[in-house]
Amino acid sequence: MIESIRVVGAGGRVGSTVSARLAERGIRLDEDEPELVLLCVPDRAIAEVAAEIAPGPWVAHVSGATPLAALDPHARRVGMHPLLSFSKTRGPEQLDGGWAAVTAEGDDARAVGVWLAETLGLEPFELADSRRAAYHAGAAVASNYLVTLRQAAGSLLEVADVPPEALDSLMRGVIENGFELTGPIARGDWETVARHLHVIQRERPELEELYLALAEATAKIAGRELPSNSLLLGAEGRGTKVCRTIAELRGALADRRRGSIGLVPTMGSLHEGHLSLLRAARSECDTVVMSLFVNPTQFGDEDDLARYPRNEERDLELAREAGVDLVFAPTLEEMYPPGFQTWVEVTELGSILEGELRPGHFRGVATIVLKLFAIVRPARAYFGQKDAQQAEVIRRVIRDLALEVELRVLPIVRDADGLALSSRNALLSSEERERALVLSRALGTRDLQKARALLADSNGLVVDYVEVASFDPPVLAGAVRVGSTRLIDNVPLEGEPTP
Ligand code: AMP
């Protein structure tokens, strides 16, 4: 069909391979007036080189990304892109069995493109000029990113002191076996995937994001759902990080914001009540943040603050066991820097019951909780029904200030004898603890008059209040002082009774 071709760029990778094959096929390559000029030049040079060619011969380029318009002003033009990667160390045999995209605007041009491809030993297929971007993106993913994958995989083999070249026969095998998916994700073996993630985090943290993105895409192919990052890592017991500053916590949260964040605010001295909140957060959120801060502004009385039990080491151990990802244990100055003067006041709800007896208490609670919300930006925040009025105050803050936080309030956890668990229970002597039991018994009647009567009869207890509070749900709530320790408790009057 065509007997003479001038290859422009014959010294390059594609140009030299193509020239060698054309010579093998008996095509004349050195004529001054060839029938076809084949541009094997870099993409950005095509338009300039094409413009310099005198009209007459067919003009073709071998680029996958470049539209035919780059060959203006030539009307006899065609694109023929070998979908191959070329190496200068190999000869024309590297063309054998390859595919080639032919882009043509008419039958004559198509015939030239098909002829050229077949003469080179390629299998032609048609590519519309307008679909080049998708075609080329696919080609780049398959060829260039394979290099990226080999690099990433090789760097992991180096961690194991294994030569990266060992991967090559594996990679070839995957292609030769028709891209059949095998391995841990195909099997749903998440423990193995978790082990991969652990070593990557430790040795090659720069690969974590790539590994996760590929794992997610691979799970889709396998028809499985990849467990969330934290569940995966939890399978081997991930470390709990302790952050002392706001900046440190924000930094640690930065790459976790794609998933859901749960916040459990505590003042420490953890017991089963706190742990129930942590467990709920662990099962519902990708990342669990527990704050550990004895907030001075919610204590009215200095002695009470000084006496509040503290045991950070034990708390951190329990947080670790409960699968907490981040513990935020800030200093006083971090939460109340010098000059601090911004307060959140829930005016009515914050001044009844507990608020009446402890003026300023809920102002301290609402302020610190809002600050924690601003720092952590949780999807969900976990509170105990034990502090029913506190939960109600936070609900009000969330509503009034239109915060995007889901409030989760969990039932009261009690000891076998009915006493609601509280960090303050540690301050009771055994005799005081015995006397304190009347509070839960009285509230357990779910009857205001009976409860008041029972408490009036109990010797040595000072009753601060026993009231029905119209919270959500309504509760029978009470506060008593036993010796120098103040205890609060409540029983919901609607919905599930607290066991
Ligand atoms: P605290 O450390 O006392 O500020 O309590 C932290 C969170 O744990 C609060 O939301 C409390 O309501 C909750 N909490 C405390 N005691 C219990 C309990 N016995 N049962 C359920 N939640 C509790």
Side-chain angles (χ1 to χ4, degrees), residues 116-168:
L116 180 60
E118 286 176 345
T119 303
L120 291 171
L122 298 165
E123 181 71 41
F125 60 91
E126 203 157 334
L127 168 68
D129 210 25
S130 58
R131 302 276 168 84
R132 277 185 184 284
Y135 162 74
H136 196 252
V141 169
S143 57
N144 307 154
Y145 298 173
L146 194 61
V147 178
T148 316
L149 287 181
R150 166 65 164 70
Q151 184 79 25
S155 107
L156 288 167
L157 256 68
E158 276 167 5
V159 173
D161 280 333
V162 173
E165 301 75 60
L167 290 166
D168 298 351

Side-chain angles (χ1 to χ4, degrees), residues 195-274:
R195 276 195 289 276
H196 295 172
L197 267 174
H198 277 102
V199 70
I200 287 170
Q201 283 185 332
R202 218 172 35 244
E203 305 282 349
R204 293 285 188 268
E206 69 280 8
L207 294 180
E208 184 180 354
E209 218 170 303
L210 179 66
Y211 182 93
L212 278 171
L214 291 168
E216 219 160 280
T218 309
K220 269 205 195 112
I221 295 171
R224 297 182 182 279
E225 198 170 333
L226 192 71
S228 72
N229 196 358
S230 55
L231 278 182
L232 267 178
L233 291 166
E236 253 199 10
R238 73 188 327 199
T240 300
K241 184 176 161 63
V242 182
C243 300
R244 302 276 173 195
T245 65
I246 295 169
E248 205 183 338
L249 182 65
R250 284 194 167 134
L253 282 172
D255 58 357
R256 294 171 171 271
R257 294 212 179 273
R258 273 190 308 170
S260 58
I261 297 173
L263 170 67
V264 183
T266 81
M267 298 204 298
S269 282
L270 302 188
H271 50 65
E272 271 298 319
H274 299 105

Side-chain angles (χ1 to χ4, degrees), residues 240 270 278 290 314-324 327:
T240 300
L270 302 188
L278 294 176
M290 180 184 98
R314 181 174 167 276
D315 289 343
L316 293 182
E317 194 46 48
L318 289 171
R320 223 166 261 133
E321 282 170 18
V324 170
V327 173

Side-chain angles (χ1 to χ4, degrees), residues 431-432 435 455-463 480-484:
E431 181 266 333
E432 285 173 333
R435 278 198 286 142
L455 283 163
D457 277 353
S458 59
N459 57 347
L461 283 194
V462 180
V463 179
V480 299
R481 277 172 283 148
V482 190
S484 50

Side-chain angles (χ1 to χ4, degrees), residues 10 17 28 80 106 141 211 243 267-268 293 305 338 359 367 436 468 487-488:
T17 311
R28 296 194 306 277
M80 196 281 309
V141 169
Y211 182 93
C243 300
M267 298 204 298
F293 181 63
L305 175 61
T367 303
V468 171
L487 300 175
I488 60 170

Side-chain angles (χ1 to χ4, degrees), residues 118-459:
E118 286 176 345
T119 303
L120 291 171
L122 298 165
E123 181 71 41
F125 60 91
E126 203 157 334
L127 168 68
D129 210 25
S130 58
R131 302 276 168 84
R132 277 185 184 284
Y135 162 74
H136 196 252
V141 169
S143 57
N144 307 154
Y145 298 173
L146 194 61
V147 178
T148 316
L149 287 181
R150 166 65 164 70
Q151 184 79 25
S155 107
L156 288 167
L157 256 68
E158 276 167 5
V159 173
D161 280 333
V162 173
E165 301 75 60
L167 290 166
D168 298 351
S169 53
L170 170 69
M171 294 179 87
R172 258 184 246 115
V174 173
I175 294 169
E176 279 155 22
N177 297 338
F179 295 98
E180 196 186 324
L181 186 64
T182 58
I185 291 181
R187 293 193 303 271
D189 174 1
W190 308 124
E191 277 183 27
T192 299
V193 175
R195 276 195 289 276
H196 295 172
L197 267 174
H198 277 102
V199 70
I200 287 170
Q201 283 185 332
R202 218 172 35 244
E203 305 282 349
R204 293 285 188 268
E206 69 280 8
L207 294 180
E208 184 180 354
E209 218 170 303
L210 179 66
Y211 182 93
L212 278 171
L214 291 168
E216 219 160 280
T218 309
K220 269 205 195 112
I221 295 171
R224 297 182 182 279
E225 198 170 333
L226 192 71
S228 72
N229 196 358
S230 55
L231 278 182
L232 267 178
L233 291 166
E236 253 199 10
R238 73 188 327 199
T240 300
K241 184 176 161 63
V242 182
C243 300
R244 302 276 173 195
T245 65
I246 295 169
E248 205 183 338
L249 182 65
R250 284 194 167 134
L253 282 172
D255 58 357
R256 294 171 171 271
R257 294 212 179 273
R258 273 190 308 170
S260 58
I261 297 173
L263 170 67
V264 183
T266 81
M267 298 204 298
S269 282
L270 302 188
H271 50 65
E272 271 298 319
H274 299 105
L275 298 185
S276 72
L277 307 186
L278 294 176
R279 279 187 214 112
R282 182 69 286 164
S283 73
E284 294 171 3
C285 305
D286 293 322
T287 294
V288 178
V289 180
M290 180 184 98
S291 62
L292 182 52
F293 181 63
V294 181
N295 177 32
T297 65
Q298 69 189 69
F299 286 80
D301 156 7
E302 296 265 323
D303 280 355
D304 190 25
L305 175 61
R307 266 164 39 97
Y308 198 83
R310 292 167 171 85
N311 192 343
E312 188 183 283
E313 203 175 314
R314 181 174 167 276
D315 289 343
L316 293 182
E317 194 46 48
L318 289 171
R320 223 166 261 133
E321 282 170 18
V324 170
D325 298 297
L326 299 162
V327 173
F328 180 46
T331 58
L332 187 59
E333 292 70 36
E334 193 69 9
M335 296 310 270
Y336 295 102
F340 187 96
Q341 52 189 289
T342 306
W343 299 98
V344 181
E345 193 116 34
V346 181
T347 48
E348 282 172 38
L349 190 58
S351 58
I352 57 169
L353 301 174
E354 283 298 292
E356 189 176 349
L357 280 130
R358 304 177 70 189
H361 170 68
F362 287 118
R363 182 172 102 138
V365 169
T367 303
I368 203 72
V369 169
L370 182 64
K371 183 155 185 173
L372 288 170
F373 284 178
I375 297 166
V376 176
R377 289 193 272 137
R380 298 183 196 92
Y382 295 80
F383 290 86
Q385 177 63 24
K386 161 79 173 22
D387 298 275
Q389 193 175 358
Q390 170 173 281
E392 196 67 15
V393 162
I394 302 302
R395 184 174 292 120
R396 194 74 256 167
V397 170
I398 290 174
R399 274 198 206 139
D400 288 352
L401 302 182
L403 305 181
E404 278 191 302
V405 183
E406 183 191 339
L407 178 67
R408 300 277 289 116
V409 181
L410 285 127
I412 302 182
V413 178
R414 298 175 180 279
D415 262 337
D417 55 13
L419 185 69
L421 296 189
S422 162
S423 305
R424 292 177 195 273
N425 292 355
L427 303 172
L428 298 171
S429 70
S430 58
E431 181 266 333
E432 285 173 333
R433 195 183 180 292
E434 194 57 39
R435 278 198 286 142
L437 288 177
V438 67
L439 177 60
S440 55
R441 272 193 218 124
L443 298 176
T445 62
R446 304 174 120 207
D447 180 308
L448 179 61
Q449 302 315 329
K450 283 186 194 157
R452 282 188 173 155
L454 269 171
L455 283 163
D457 277 353
S458 59
N459 57 347

Side-chain angles (χ1 to χ4, degrees), residues 11-24:
R13 242 196 273 221
V14 183
S16 59
T17 311
V18 164
S19 299
R21 172 54 50 92
L22 291 173
E24 277 180 4

